[in-house]
Every structure is written in C-alpha cells, then in structure tokens.
Amino acid sequence: MSEHCCDRMDGYLKDEDELVDYIPKFREYGVPVHDGGQSHIVIRFCPWCGTKLPLSLRDEWFAELEGLGHADPIFDGCPAEFETDEWWKAKGL
C-alpha cells in the first residue's frame, strides 16, 4: 500500500533528483524550483495517477500559530508539533 496516492508518487518522493516534494507540516505537494532555495510550485493532482491531492494547509498553519501568539513562526520558531504533520492530524484535518 502506498503512503501517498500511488507507488510512483512514493518512489519519486524518495528519489534524490527531487522531481516532486512533500512538506508534511503543510500537507503540501509540489514541484521543486531548483534555484538554490526551498520554493516549489504546488500541485493539486498526482502527475502519475491523476488522483486529486489533499488541499494544502499552509494558510491554516500560519493562522494556528498566529492564534498561539507566534507572529512570525518562520523566523521566531514555533512549537515542535508544528514542524511535522502532528498538528493537523491531531485536529482531524
């Protein structure tokens, strides 16, 4: 059974060439922009099986942290559970 939408997605997420990436804390899939930074272009469907991917929780991540008093979590840090998928799984998102 695949961890993500299909075996090919699982394989490419483990591939060192980084054709796609997954950011667990945002529940976000994307195509990396190989410009020396960490940006990527968000994708909404699996390029191999066509499955609709779950919506990104990036906005919710920032809203949750702002509500906890973390105005700038990227630079000021945030609770450990917000560095993984733990926060959104605990909320049932």
Side-chain angles (χ1 to χ4, degrees):
M1 184 172 173
S2 298
E3 181 180 347
H4 298 275
C5 58
C6 66
D7 290 338
R8 290 187 78 186
M9 177 67 90
D10 286 350
Y12 281 110
L13 287 170
K14 294 174 186 167
D15 190 337
E16 292 179 16
D17 290 334
E18 292 190 70
L19 297 176
V20 294
D21 61 12
Y22 175 68
I23 302 173
K25 70 181 178 183
F26 296 145
R27 194 181 66 187
E28 187 173 272
Y29 294 84
V31 176
V33 176
H34 295 284
D35 63 356
Q38 295 183 3
S39 61
H40 69 203
I41 299 166
V42 175
I43 57 174
R44 307 237 188 282
F45 293 87
C46 175
W48 296 281
C49 71
T51 298
K52 185 175 182 176
L53 299 170
L55 294 175
S56 170
L57 296 173
R58 182 180 293 263
D59 291 341
E60 289 84 348
W61 185 85
F62 281 100
E64 286 284 327
L65 286 168
E66 187 176 313
L68 294 172
H70 297 275
D72 195 347
I74 298 294
F75 295 104
D76 298 337
C78 61
E81 67 269 17
F82 282 87
E83 293 298 336
T84 69
D85 56 9
E86 184 181 333
W87 75 271
W88 60 262
K89 286 181 176 180
K91 291 187 156 295
L93 300 175

